[in-house]
Amino acid sequence: MTANEDQEMELEALRSIYEGDDCFKELNAVSFQFRIGDLDDSKSFLLEVSWPESYPETAPHISLDAFFNNRISLETKQYIHSKLSEQVEANLGTAMMYTLFEWAKENQETLMENHQPVPSAVTLISSSDVMNNSTTVSKKKEKKEQLTKAQKRKLIGRTDNKGELPRGWNWVDVVKVS
């Protein structure tokens, strides 16, 4: 069998196994995302795997750079990547996506045992920055008045081809009362 035939067979198998599973996402025919753990679990992470041209004879590219993983420390990411690479080496030459995903699910606790959530950028702001930005934060909270669909349609009906209102559209007639 050629590498492309192996890929096609594995792709069909992955689609049938993970059909309806919200943890699995097929980005394209050779790239996949698999979430290990629940969305609200602080120890969950997202694996992004892509197949090179000669997969499964060549190791797939494994990435933990998804935005979902931004709270995981670099050390933890490197540890997960090294353990997954060991599994890839053990399964080289065979279809391994299902094996990798299931191994990661089974070993999630071990992989994330040293996980300390990375503080978000909000907690890294110093108190002096908070004092300086307190006025700008209060300005940001003021929202523009939201228009209803009917108001937007009416506004669009009054504009010219450039989207501008005609001169004097909001002028008020002044009537002299004697």
Side-chain angles (χ1 to χ4, degrees):
M1 257 197 255
T2 66
N4 284 342
E5 290 172 344
D6 286 342
Q7 288 179 5
E8 287 296 321
M9 286 178 51
E10 185 169 8
L11 183 59
E12 283 182 40
L14 288 172
R15 285 176 179 159
S16 64
I17 291 169
Y18 294 115
E19 182 178 1
D21 189 344
D22 63 343
C23 290
F24 179 78
K25 183 177 181 183
E26 181 181 339
L27 302 176
N28 59 44
V30 295
S31 297
F32 312 94
Q33 284 184 338
F34 195 82
R35 188 182 72 244
I36 309 298
D38 296 326
L39 278 173
D40 56 352
D41 184 6
S42 68
K43 293 191 173 197
S44 61
F45 58 94
L46 189 71
L47 284 178
E48 199 165 301
V49 182
S50 57
W51 294 340
E53 192 75 26
S54 57
Y55 172 83
E57 302 304 321
T58 311
H61 175 68
I62 299 172
S63 172
L64 292 163
D65 295 334
F67 182 76
F68 187 82
N69 298 331
N70 68 344
R71 60 186 163 42
I72 300 174
S73 69
L74 182 61
E75 295 80 22
T76 305
K77 286 181 184 179
Q78 289 170 341
Y79 178 72
I80 293 170
H81 197 277
S82 69
K83 291 297 181 186
L84 285 169
S85 295
E86 290 174 15
Q87 292 300 311
V88 167
E89 290 300 319
N91 292 299
L92 209 54
T94 62
M96 67 180 90
M97 289 298 101
Y98 176 77
T99 309
L100 277 179
F101 294 152
E102 292 303 311
W103 182 87
K105 277 188 348 190
E106 290 168 11
N107 294 286
Q108 177 188 5
E109 284 301 316
T110 309
L111 293 171
M112 297 294 281
E113 67 185 350
N114 296 324
H115 169 61
Q116 297 296 324
V118 174
S120 65
V122 175
T123 58
L124 295 176
I125 297 174
S126 67
S127 59
S128 62
D129 289 344
V130 172
M131 293 301 188
N132 294 340
N133 290 336
S134 61
T135 55
T136 58
V137 171
S138 62
K139 288 180 186 175
K140 287 181 185 176
K141 289 183 181 177
E142 295 175 19
K143 290 188 176 180
K144 267 188 356 184
E145 180 183 331
Q146 296 293 319
L147 299 175
T148 64
K149 283 185 179 180
Q151 290 171 323
K152 289 177 186 175
R153 283 190 200 113
K154 194 173 182 183
L155 191 63
I156 289 172
R158 284 191 260 168
T159 60
D160 61 6
N161 61 352
K162 295 178 188 171
E164 296 175 358
L165 294 168
R167 183 171 184 266
W169 69 274
N170 62 348
W171 292 355
V172 178
D173 289 333
V174 177
V175 179
K176 183 177 180 182
V177 180
S178 34

